[in-house]
Amino acid sequence: MRITDLRFEHHREPLGIGERAPRLSWLVGGAPPGWRQAAYQVRALAEDGAVAWCGERVEDDESNLVAWPGQRLASRQRLAVQVRVWGSGGATGWSDPRPVEAGLLDPGDWTARLISPAGAHPAVPAFRREFVVGGEVRRARLYVTAHGVYRLWLNGAEVGDHVLPPGWTSYRHRLRYQTHDVTGLLRPGPAALGALAAEGWFRGRLGFSGGRRNIWGDRGALLAQLEIVYASGGRQVVGTDGAWRTAASAITEAGLYDGETCDARLMWDGWTSPGFDDAGWAAVRAEAVDAARLVAPTGPPVRRTELVRPVSVGRSPGGRMIVDFGQNVVGRLRIRPRGPAGTRIVLRHAEVLEDGELALRPLRGARAEDAFVLRGTGEAEEWEPSFTFHGFRYAEIQGWPGEPDADDVTAVVCHSDMRRTGWFECSEPLLNRLHDNVVWSMRGNFLDVPTDCPQRDERLGWTGDLQVFAPAGSFLYDCAGVLTSWLRDVLAEQMASPSGTPPLTVPDPAMGWDTAQAGWGDVVTLAPWTLYERFGDVEVLRRGYPGMTAWVDRVAELAGPSCVWDGQFHLGDWLDPAAPPDRPAAGRTDGALVATAYFARSAETVARVAALLGRDEDAGRYAELAARVRRAFADEFVSPNGRVAGDSQTAYALALRFGLLPSAAQRERAGRRLAELVHAGGYRVGTGFAGTPLIADALEDAGETQLAYRLLLERGCPSFLYPVTMGATTVWERWDALLPDGRLNPGEMTSFNHYAPGAIVDWLHRSVAGLAPAAPGYRRILVRPRPGGGLTYARAVHDTPYGTASAGWSLDGDRLEVRVVVPPNASAVVVAPGGGEPVEVGSGEHVFGVAWTPEPYPPARPPGTVVPVPGGG
């Protein structure tokens, strides 16, 4: 046995972390079946290899996010940590040393100053500073951030591989910085730092209907602090200050929505290296930074994660050059043109075509256009925008000299560099493509913050979208670090509000959307609970608890003594396909019903969190509030025989899944009525944001698992698989965003990359394949597959905090085989299809065979059904 993976908090790269006492997690390889940990011990080595401290042996079986047992880290301190464990199969040796290094943990550690152009502010200013390295370098770290986004070079080499650093945070409360190991870039003698800083989210245009600019400030700025430790023991600090120089760069425009323009004729040779003549450059303005706002990252940065080659380069009916990448991606183009100086190449982006041309209407006010002016060197000039991103499958190229080769245009995929942790496959190719589409949509919309869409004039951190998608997303990727950071911004924005109301979007672009909204505000209760359930992180509950109680208390105030939250506009079951294209909130389900259901759910969740945190008085108070809201919901919206007001699929799904029906008879009747509605609707999607994540589970709870499959596998418009049959490679905001005749849906909400509706795949993981958490962090796994839908096999794999788990089944005639893999130090309860008692198993691989007769599968359409086609098409 051996320790195979030692982690600190949720960091993949524990350099410059912000935690003084980072929690530890580890995996055990080579353990025998059924192995359980009994004890562990941790020690830390100093940089010279000596033992800095050694913790006591701890008699405990936990290996995920265990408490730091030694002295707290100081700023800049670097240790190498080792773990060893004991268990039923013996003990491991000490693990390989795993380095961890703290960042600048105290405001007083910062001596650098924010620098910006002293005069007129160019689109993208360049900054540089020369200095002398005074001897052999033992260690060098560069700490850097910006008001905006930046790129930075040291001695001609770019520092780091991040995209759009430092990312997007609630700048009034938190400004993230990055730590880079630049030891290998320094040699004794002259040296130079060079940087570009663009507007990014800090002062760029955000929001739709024209949006707003300069939300957090009207000037970009750079903050960098290079700290050199010499072999002799000396120390040198080179920070941004008044000695730096600045000039306008060759990038003449750089906006997230509108795109980037670069004139290569304006580029300087060697400006990031020592010896460059910057006599014509101007002085900078240097000012103090509020160092209390500076925070280290908790998750991975945005990076270039994949290159996608074109599948075709052709001409549109109008004669325009169109490049098709075969996949809707988020990022930008990398081009290699060759031509005369002054040649201007324009790149336009879109997700779909209409009549063979770029469909630009879904972009609304985003120009999404990049331009590159050639320098004319006679050689191919490679260029990729630095400070923008687009959502696109298709690109229109104007001004290219001649015809590009396939290698001359590449799509560069960019997103938060999260580790993939979840996979699903089954015997239905369209279902596999749907799952792939959800993965691609998560990749595209987890670009530092979880956004709603990556292409139009929006790209905001809508709280409701994340709230519904968090379970699915937490399976697909290790998004704990990204979401931990974002939820801290949510809490900061919420607690800065006098009413304790979370903004609809975080970071908040101050668009005036300050209304409390059910489903959106509930992100502060339900998303932390999901992270606890999926990653076993109780600290996210402890940290978020003030926001949870503030939100539920605010809703209680709005609902009043009746506990029914009505009397205001609610987004409700947003984008119900039955809603008119121009009124996406006007669906079949009463907004007050949705709001009151979420009120009950959040109050109940806060009660559970309070009990978990040992706040017994709060637990009792919120449990009693949840009970009152449930009674109020039943009194207001449920008839004695189980009919729910509005008689919509979402109304029944909410009532069933949120436990809002008092009696067994009402629950049974509500389940039957939900099934009737799904049949009557011709198995088309009849739910919006609130109902879609719940509908399949609600049908399963009602004993209608095969009907859930029938709904999932429908291909007509609108349905879960309809976009796949139309060639979709990501999830659409509307299931009928593109109509069967190839025309765009007339509604404004027509993003073709929107992860929230992809929340349905959580049911694929938990019920179709049968892999679900039964205890926080999958310490105990529930394996309960529900075969059906004509599928012959299904399988899910998930890298849990304890190791890789999998569950799946295959059908061979009348025999069904279930295969389960449980990681070391975990267990599973297996409920085989067809009944039988649950079986508890330990780690290892397990196979169960049962006789199986497929359950009846609903026909394509019930006899006599009149099938409505909501939302057009």
Coordinates of all heavy atoms in Angstrom, one line a residue, residues 280-351:
G280 N 11.3 57.0 -24.9 CA 10.1 57.7 -25.4 C 8.8 57.3 -24.6 O 7.7 57.8 -24.9
W281 N 8.9 56.4 -23.6 CA 7.8 56.0 -22.8 C 7.6 57.0 -21.7 O 8.4 57.8 -21.4 CB 8.1 54.6 -22.2 CG 8.0 53.5 -23.2 CD1 8.5 53.5 -24.5 CD2 7.5 52.2 -23.0 NE1 8.3 52.3 -25.1 CE2 7.7 51.4 -24.2 CE3 6.9 51.5 -21.9 CZ2 7.3 50.1 -24.3 CZ3 6.5 50.2 -22.0 CH2 6.7 49.5 -23.2
A282 N 6.4 56.9 -21.1 CA 6.0 57.9 -20.2 C 6.1 57.4 -18.7 O 6.2 56.2 -18.5 CB 4.5 58.4 -20.4
A283 N 6.1 58.3 -17.8 CA 6.0 57.9 -16.4 C 4.7 57.4 -16.0 O 3.7 57.6 -16.7 CB 6.4 59.1 -15.5
V284 N 4.6 56.6 -15.0 CA 3.4 56.0 -14.5 C 2.9 56.7 -13.3 O 3.6 57.5 -12.6 CB 3.5 54.5 -14.1 CG1 4.0 53.7 -15.3 CG2 4.5 54.3 -13.0
R285 N 1.6 56.5 -13.0 CA 1.0 57.0 -11.7 C 1.1 55.8 -10.7 O 0.6 54.7 -11.1 CB -0.4 57.5 -11.9 CG -1.0 58.0 -10.6 CD -2.3 58.7 -10.9 NE -3.4 57.8 -11.3 CZ -4.6 58.2 -11.6 NH1 -4.9 59.5 -11.6 NH2 -5.6 57.3 -11.9
A286 N 1.6 56.0 -9.6 CA 1.7 54.9 -8.6 C 0.8 55.3 -7.3 O 0.9 56.5 -6.9 CB 3.1 54.7 -8.1
E287 N 0.0 54.4 -6.9 CA -0.8 54.7 -5.7 C -0.9 53.4 -4.8 O -0.7 52.3 -5.3 CB -2.2 55.2 -6.1 CG -2.9 54.2 -7.1 CD -4.1 54.9 -7.7 OE1 -4.8 55.7 -7.0 OE2 -4.4 54.6 -8.9
A288 N -1.3 53.7 -3.6 CA -1.4 52.6 -2.6 C -2.5 51.6 -3.0 O -3.5 52.0 -3.6 CB -1.6 53.1 -1.2
V289 N -2.4 50.4 -2.7 CA -3.4 49.4 -2.9 C -4.0 49.0 -1.6 O -3.3 49.0 -0.5 CB -2.8 48.1 -3.6 CG1 -1.8 47.4 -2.7 CG2 -4.0 47.2 -4.0
D290 N -5.3 48.7 -1.5 CA -5.9 48.2 -0.3 C -5.6 46.8 -0.2 O -6.3 45.9 -0.7 CB -7.4 48.4 -0.4 CG -8.2 47.9 0.8 OD1 -7.5 47.5 1.8 OD2 -9.4 47.8 0.8
A291 N -4.5 46.5 0.4 CA -4.0 45.1 0.5 C -4.9 44.2 1.3 O -4.8 42.9 1.1 CB -2.6 45.1 1.1
A292 N -5.8 44.7 2.1 CA -6.7 43.8 2.8 C -7.7 43.1 1.8 O -8.3 42.1 2.2 CB -7.5 44.6 3.8
R293 N -7.8 43.6 0.6 CA -8.7 43.0 -0.4 C -8.0 41.9 -1.1 O -8.6 41.1 -1.8 CB -9.1 44.0 -1.4 CG -10.2 45.0 -0.9 CD -10.7 45.9 -2.1 NE -9.6 46.6 -2.8 CZ -9.4 46.5 -4.1 NH1 -10.0 45.7 -4.9 NH2 -8.4 47.3 -4.6
L294 N -6.7 41.8 -1.0 CA -5.9 40.8 -1.8 C -6.0 39.4 -1.3 O -5.8 39.2 -0.1 CB -4.4 41.2 -1.9 CG -4.2 42.6 -2.6 CD1 -2.7 43.0 -2.5 CD2 -4.7 42.6 -4.0
V295 N -6.4 38.5 -2.1 CA -6.6 37.1 -1.6 C -6.0 36.1 -2.6 O -5.9 36.4 -3.8 CB -8.1 36.8 -1.5 CG1 -8.8 37.6 -0.4 CG2 -8.8 36.9 -2.8
A296 N -5.5 35.0 -2.1 CA -4.9 34.0 -2.9 C -6.1 33.1 -3.6 O -7.2 33.1 -3.0 CB -4.0 33.1 -2.1
P297 N -5.8 32.5 -4.7 CA -6.8 31.6 -5.3 C -7.2 30.4 -4.4 O -6.4 29.9 -3.7 CB -6.2 31.2 -6.6 CG -5.1 32.1 -6.8 CD -4.6 32.5 -5.5
T298 N -8.4 29.9 -4.6 CA -8.8 28.7 -4.0 C -9.0 27.6 -5.0 O -9.2 26.4 -4.7 CB -10.1 28.8 -3.2 OG1 -11.2 29.2 -4.1 CG2 -10.0 29.8 -2.1
G299 N -9.0 28.0 -6.3 CA -9.2 27.0 -7.4 C -8.2 27.3 -8.5 O -7.4 28.2 -8.5
P300 N -8.3 26.5 -9.6 CA -7.4 26.6 -10.7 C -7.7 27.8 -11.5 O -8.8 28.3 -11.5 CB -7.6 25.3 -11.5 CG -9.1 25.0 -11.2 CD -9.3 25.4 -9.8
P301 N -6.7 28.3 -12.3 CA -6.9 29.5 -13.2 C -7.5 29.0 -14.5 O -7.7 27.8 -14.7 CB -5.5 30.0 -13.4 CG -4.6 28.7 -13.4 CD -5.3 27.9 -12.3
V302 N -7.9 30.0 -15.3 CA -8.4 29.7 -16.6 C -7.1 29.5 -17.4 O -6.1 30.1 -17.3 CB -9.1 30.9 -17.2 CG1 -9.5 30.7 -18.7 CG2 -10.4 31.2 -16.4
R303 N -7.2 28.4 -18.3 CA -6.1 28.1 -19.1 C -6.6 27.7 -20.5 O -7.8 27.4 -20.7 CB -5.3 26.9 -18.6 CG -4.4 27.2 -17.4 CD -3.4 26.1 -17.1 NE -2.4 26.4 -16.1 CZ -2.5 26.0 -14.8 NH1 -3.5 25.3 -14.4 NH2 -1.5 26.4 -14.0
R304 N -5.7 27.6 -21.5 CA -5.9 27.0 -22.8 C -5.9 25.5 -22.5 O -4.9 24.9 -22.1 CB -4.9 27.4 -23.8 CG -4.8 28.9 -24.0 CD -3.5 29.1 -24.8 NE -3.3 30.6 -25.0 CZ -2.7 31.4 -24.2 NH1 -2.2 31.0 -23.0 NH2 -2.6 32.7 -24.5
T305 N -7.0 24.8 -22.8 CA -7.1 23.4 -22.4 C -7.2 22.4 -23.6 O -7.0 21.2 -23.4 CB -8.3 23.1 -21.5 OG1 -9.5 23.5 -22.3 CG2 -8.3 24.0 -20.3
E306 N -7.4 23.0 -24.8 CA -7.6 22.1 -26.0 C -7.5 23.0 -27.2 O -7.9 24.1 -27.2 CB -8.9 21.4 -25.9 CG -9.1 20.3 -27.0 CD -10.4 19.5 -26.8 OE1 -10.9 19.5 -25.7 OE2 -10.7 18.8 -27.8
L307 N -7.0 22.4 -28.3 CA -7.0 23.0 -29.6 C -7.9 22.2 -30.5 O -7.8 21.0 -30.5 CB -5.5 23.0 -30.2 CG -4.5 23.7 -29.4 CD1 -3.1 23.6 -30.1 CD2 -4.8 25.2 -29.2
V308 N -8.8 22.9 -31.2 CA -9.7 22.2 -32.1 C -9.5 22.7 -33.5 O -9.5 23.9 -33.8 CB -11.2 22.6 -31.7 CG1 -12.2 21.9 -32.6 CG2 -11.4 22.1 -30.3
R309 N -9.2 21.8 -34.4 CA -9.0 22.1 -35.8 C -10.3 22.2 -36.6 O -11.3 21.5 -36.2 CB -8.1 21.0 -36.4 CG -6.8 20.7 -35.7 CD -5.9 21.8 -35.9 NE -4.6 21.5 -35.2 CZ -3.6 22.4 -35.2 NH1 -3.7 23.6 -35.8 NH2 -2.4 22.0 -34.6
P310 N -10.3 22.9 -37.7 CA -11.6 23.0 -38.5 C -11.9 21.7 -39.1 O -11.1 20.9 -39.4 CB -11.2 24.0 -39.5 CG -10.0 24.7 -39.1 CD -9.2 23.8 -38.2
V311 N -13.2 21.5 -39.2 CA -13.7 20.3 -40.0 C -14.0 20.7 -41.4 O -14.1 19.8 -42.3 CB -15.0 19.7 -39.3 CG1 -14.6 19.1 -37.9 CG2 -16.1 20.7 -39.2
S312 N -14.2 22.0 -41.6 CA -14.4 22.5 -43.0 C -14.1 24.0 -43.1 O -14.3 24.7 -42.1 CB -15.8 22.2 -43.5 OG -16.7 23.0 -42.8
V313 N -13.6 24.4 -44.3 CA -13.5 25.8 -44.6 C -14.1 26.0 -46.0 O -13.7 25.4 -46.9 CB -12.0 26.2 -44.7 CG1 -11.9 27.7 -45.0 CG2 -11.3 25.9 -43.4
G314 N -15.2 26.8 -46.0 CA -15.9 27.0 -47.2 C -16.5 28.4 -47.4 O -16.0 29.3 -46.7
R315 N -17.4 28.5 -48.3 CA -18.0 29.8 -48.6 C -19.5 29.8 -48.3 O -20.1 28.8 -48.6 CB -17.7 30.2 -50.1 CG -16.3 30.5 -50.4 CD -15.8 31.8 -49.9 NE -14.3 31.9 -50.1 CZ -13.7 33.1 -49.8 NH1 -14.4 34.1 -49.3 NH2 -12.4 33.2 -50.0
S316 N -20.0 30.9 -47.7 CA -21.4 31.0 -47.5 C -22.1 31.3 -48.7 O -21.5 31.7 -49.8 CB -21.6 32.1 -46.4 OG -21.4 33.3 -47.0
P317 N -23.5 31.3 -48.7 CA -24.2 31.7 -49.9 C -23.9 33.1 -50.4 O -23.9 33.4 -51.5 CB -25.7 31.6 -49.5 CG -25.7 30.5 -48.5 CD -24.4 30.7 -47.7
G318 N -23.5 34.0 -49.4 CA -23.1 35.3 -49.7 C -21.7 35.5 -50.1 O -21.2 36.6 -50.3
G319 N -20.9 34.4 -50.2 CA -19.5 34.4 -50.6 C -18.5 34.6 -49.5 O -17.3 34.8 -49.8
R320 N -19.0 34.6 -48.3 CA -18.1 34.9 -47.1 C -17.4 33.6 -46.7 O -18.0 32.5 -46.8 CB -18.8 35.4 -45.9 CG -19.5 36.8 -46.2 CD -20.3 37.2 -45.0 NE -20.9 38.6 -45.2 CZ -22.0 38.8 -45.8 NH1 -22.7 37.8 -46.3 NH2 -22.4 40.1 -46.0
M321 N -16.1 33.7 -46.3 CA -15.4 32.5 -45.9 C -15.8 32.1 -44.5 O -15.8 32.9 -43.5 CB -13.9 32.8 -45.8 CG -13.0 31.6 -45.5 SD -11.3 32.1 -45.3 CE -10.9 32.7 -46.9
I322 N -16.3 30.8 -44.3 CA -16.8 30.3 -43.1 C -16.0 29.1 -42.7 O -15.8 28.2 -43.4 CB -18.3 29.9 -43.2 CG1 -19.2 31.1 -43.7 CG2 -18.8 29.3 -41.9 CD1 -19.3 32.2 -42.6
V323 N -15.5 29.1 -41.5 CA -14.8 28.0 -40.9 C -15.7 27.3 -39.9 O -16.2 28.0 -39.0 CB -13.5 28.5 -40.2 CG1 -12.7 27.3 -39.7 CG2 -12.6 29.3 -41.2
D324 N -15.8 26.0 -40.0 CA -16.7 25.2 -39.1 C -15.7 24.3 -38.3 O -15.0 23.5 -38.8 CB -17.7 24.4 -39.9 CG -18.5 23.5 -39.0 OD1 -18.4 23.6 -37.8 OD2 -19.3 22.6 -39.6
F325 N -15.8 24.5 -36.9 CA -14.9 23.7 -36.1 C -15.6 22.4 -35.6 O -15.1 21.6 -34.9 CB -14.5 24.5 -34.9 CG -13.5 25.6 -35.3 CD1 -14.0 26.9 -35.5 CD2 -12.2 25.3 -35.5 CE1 -13.1 27.9 -36.0 CE2 -11.3 26.3 -35.9 CZ -11.8 27.6 -36.1
G326 N -16.9 22.2 -36.0 CA -17.6 21.0 -35.6 C -18.0 20.9 -34.2 O -18.7 19.9 -33.8
Q327 N -17.6 21.8 -33.4 CA -17.9 21.8 -31.9 C -18.1 23.2 -31.5 O -17.3 24.1 -31.8 CB -16.8 21.1 -31.2 CG -16.9 21.2 -29.6 CD -18.1 20.5 -29.1 OE1 -18.3 19.3 -29.4 NE2 -18.9 21.2 -28.3
N328 N -19.2 23.5 -30.7 CA -19.4 24.8 -30.1 C -18.4 24.9 -29.0 O -18.5 24.1 -28.0 CB -20.8 25.0 -29.7 CG -21.2 26.4 -29.4 OD1 -20.5 27.3 -29.8 ND2 -22.3 26.6 -28.7
V329 N -17.5 25.9 -29.0 CA -16.4 26.0 -28.0 C -16.5 27.4 -27.4 O -17.1 28.3 -27.9 CB -15.1 25.7 -28.6 CG1 -15.0 24.3 -29.2 CG2 -14.6 26.8 -29.6
V330 N -15.7 27.6 -26.4 CA -15.4 28.9 -25.8 C -13.9 29.2 -25.8 O -13.2 28.3 -25.3 CB -16.0 29.0 -24.4 CG1 -15.7 30.3 -23.7 CG2 -17.5 28.9 -24.4
G331 N -13.5 30.3 -26.3 CA -12.1 30.6 -26.3 C -11.9 31.7 -27.4 O -12.6 32.7 -27.5
R332 N -10.9 31.4 -28.2 CA -10.6 32.4 -29.3 C -9.9 31.6 -30.4 O -9.6 30.5 -30.3 CB -9.8 33.6 -28.9 CG -8.6 33.3 -28.1 CD -8.8 33.3 -26.6 NE -7.5 33.2 -25.9 CZ -7.0 34.1 -25.0 NH1 -7.8 35.2 -24.7 NH2 -5.9 34.0 -24.5
L333 N -9.6 32.3 -31.5 CA -9.0 31.8 -32.7 C -7.5 32.1 -32.6 O -7.0 33.1 -32.1 CB -9.5 32.3 -34.0 CG -11.0 32.0 -34.3 CD1 -11.4 32.6 -35.6 CD2 -11.2 30.5 -34.3
R334 N -6.7 31.1 -33.1 CA -5.3 31.3 -33.3 C -5.0 31.2 -34.8 O -5.4 30.2 -35.4 CB -4.4 30.3 -32.5 CG -2.9 30.4 -32.7 CD -2.2 29.3 -31.9 NE -2.5 29.5 -30.5 CZ -2.1 28.5 -29.6 NH1 -1.6 27.4 -30.0 NH2 -2.4 28.8 -28.3
I335 N -4.5 32.3 -35.4 CA -4.3 32.3 -36.8 C -2.8 32.4 -37.2 O -2.0 33.0 -36.4 CB -5.1 33.4 -37.5 CG1 -4.7 34.8 -36.9 CG2 -6.6 33.2 -37.2 CD1 -5.4 36.0 -37.6
R336 N -2.5 32.0 -38.4 CA -1.1 32.1 -39.0 C -1.2 32.6 -40.4 O -0.9 31.9 -41.4 CB -0.4 30.7 -38.9 CG -0.3 30.2 -37.5 CD 0.5 28.8 -37.5 NE 1.9 29.0 -37.9 CZ 2.4 28.6 -39.1 NH1 1.6 28.1 -40.0 NH2 3.7 28.8 -39.3
P337 N -1.5 33.9 -40.6 CA -1.6 34.4 -41.9 C -0.2 34.9 -42.4 O 0.7 35.1 -41.6 CB -2.5 35.6 -41.8 CG -2.2 36.1 -40.4 CD -1.9 34.9 -39.6
R338 N -0.1 35.0 -43.7 CA 1.1 35.6 -44.3 C 0.6 36.6 -45.4 O -0.2 36.2 -46.2 CB 1.9 34.5 -45.0 CG 3.3 34.9 -45.6 CD 3.8 33.9 -46.6 NE 3.7 32.5 -46.1 CZ 4.7 31.9 -45.5 NH1 5.9 32.4 -45.5 NH2 4.6 30.6 -45.1
G339 N 1.2 37.8 -45.4 CA 0.7 38.8 -46.3 C 1.4 40.1 -46.2 O 2.3 40.3 -45.3
P340 N 1.1 41.1 -47.0 CA 1.7 42.4 -47.0 C 1.4 43.2 -45.7 O 0.3 43.0 -45.1 CB 1.2 43.1 -48.2 CG 0.2 42.2 -48.8 CD 0.1 41.0 -48.1
A341 N 2.3 44.0 -45.3 CA 2.1 44.9 -44.2 C 0.8 45.7 -44.4 O 0.5 46.2 -45.5 CB 3.3 45.8 -44.0
G342 N 0.0 45.8 -43.3 CA -1.2 46.6 -43.3 C -2.4 45.8 -43.7 O -3.5 46.3 -43.6
T343 N -2.2 44.5 -44.1 CA -3.4 43.7 -44.4 C -4.2 43.5 -43.1 O -3.7 43.1 -42.1 CB -2.9 42.3 -44.9 OG1 -2.1 42.5 -46.1 CG2 -4.1 41.4 -45.2
R344 N -5.5 43.7 -43.2 CA -6.4 43.6 -42.0 C -7.2 42.4 -42.1 O -8.0 42.3 -43.1 CB -7.2 44.9 -41.9 CG -8.1 44.9 -40.6 CD -9.0 46.2 -40.6 NE -9.9 46.2 -39.5 CZ -9.7 46.7 -38.3 NH1 -8.5 47.2 -38.1 NH2 -10.6 46.7 -37.4
I345 N -7.1 41.5 -41.2 CA -7.9 40.3 -41.1 C -8.9 40.4 -40.0 O -8.6 40.7 -38.9 CB -7.0 39.0 -40.9 CG1 -6.0 38.9 -42.1 CG2 -7.9 37.8 -40.8 CD1 -5.0 37.8 -41.9
V346 N -10.2 40.2 -40.3 CA -11.3 40.3 -39.4 C -11.9 38.9 -39.1 O -12.2 38.2 -40.0 CB -12.3 41.3 -39.9 CG1 -13.5 41.4 -38.9 CG2 -11.7 42.7 -40.1
L347 N -12.0 38.6 -37.8 CA -12.6 37.3 -37.4 C -13.9 37.6 -36.7 O -14.0 38.3 -35.7 CB -11.6 36.6 -36.5 CG -10.2 36.6 -36.9 CD1 -9.3 36.0 -35.8 CD2 -10.0 35.7 -38.2
R348 N -15.0 37.0 -37.2 CA -16.3 37.2 -36.6 C -16.8 35.8 -36.1 O -16.4 34.8 -36.7 CB -17.3 37.8 -37.5 CG -16.9 39.1 -38.1 CD -17.8 39.6 -39.2 NE -19.1 40.0 -38.6 CZ -20.2 40.1 -39.3 NH1 -20.3 39.7 -40.6 NH2 -21.3 40.6 -38.7
H349 N -17.5 35.7 -35.0 CA -17.8 34.5 -34.3 C -19.3 34.3 -34.2 O -20.0 35.3 -33.9 CB -17.1 34.4 -33.0 CG -15.7 34.7 -33.0 ND1 -15.2 36.0 -33.1 CD2 -14.6 33.9 -32.9 CE1 -13.8 35.9 -33.1 NE2 -13.5 34.6 -33.0
A350 N -19.8 33.0 -34.3 CA -21.2 32.7 -34.0 C -21.3 31.2 -33.7 O -20.5 30.4 -34.1 CB -22.1 33.1 -35.2
E351 N -22.4 30.9 -33.0 CA -22.6 29.5 -32.6 C -23.3 28.7 -33.6 O -23.1 27.5 -33.7 CB -23.4 29.5 -31.3 CG -22.7 30.1 -30.1 CD -23.6 30.0 -28.8 OE1 -24.7 30.6 -28.8 OE2 -23.1 29.4 -27.9

